[in-house]
Amino acid sequence: MASKEQTASDHERFEAARALGQKRVEDASAVVDASYDHASNAVRLVFRGGGSMTIPRRLIPGLEGQPASVLASVSVSPAGDALLWPSIDADVYVPGLVERAFGHRL
């Protein structure tokens, strides 16, 4: 059986990962809330920095043909960088989604 003891290198990697995670959580571009708006058939994102945006459902991969009840179950990843729909196994990376909705970065 393999040893389960952590090495000094393991501790350093874990600390670096925790620090990166904390930095992402504090980032103004992290999503803190997401909801599906049936009337506009879109997902509304609220960012830590106070901004918000609405993304039409047709631009979000994996949501085609899903009922409103599934779309309303959207949640945000702990790092605030992904939208999650666990019941349909759909995860969408927010920076990629924003780029898809608004075009490529310059």
Side-chain angles (χ1 to χ4, degrees), residues 3-93:
S3 171
K4 296 200 183 231
E5 291 183 34
Q6 294 179 355
T7 66
S9 176
D10 291 334
H11 287 290
E12 289 174 10
R13 287 184 306 118
F14 296 153
E15 285 303 315
R18 284 187 196 98
L20 180 59
Q22 187 61 39
K23 182 178 176 184
R24 286 185 179 162
V25 166
E26 294 170 355
D27 187 340
S29 68
V31 176
V32 295
D33 189 39
S35 58
Y36 174 68
D37 178 37
H38 184 67
S40 64
N41 196 25
V43 174
R44 182 171 185 267
L45 309 178
V46 178
F47 296 89
R48 180 171 312 288
S52 65
M53 69 174 52
T54 302
I55 307 288
R57 176 173 87 159
R58 65 182 168 71
L59 296 178
I60 305 173
L63 301 186
E64 304 85 10
Q66 297 298 329
S69 60
V70 168
L71 301 175
S73 70
V74 63
S75 61
V76 179
S77 69
D81 63 351
L83 303 177
L84 314 171
W85 284 271
S87 66
I88 58 170
D89 196 28
D91 302 338
V92 178
Y93 185 57

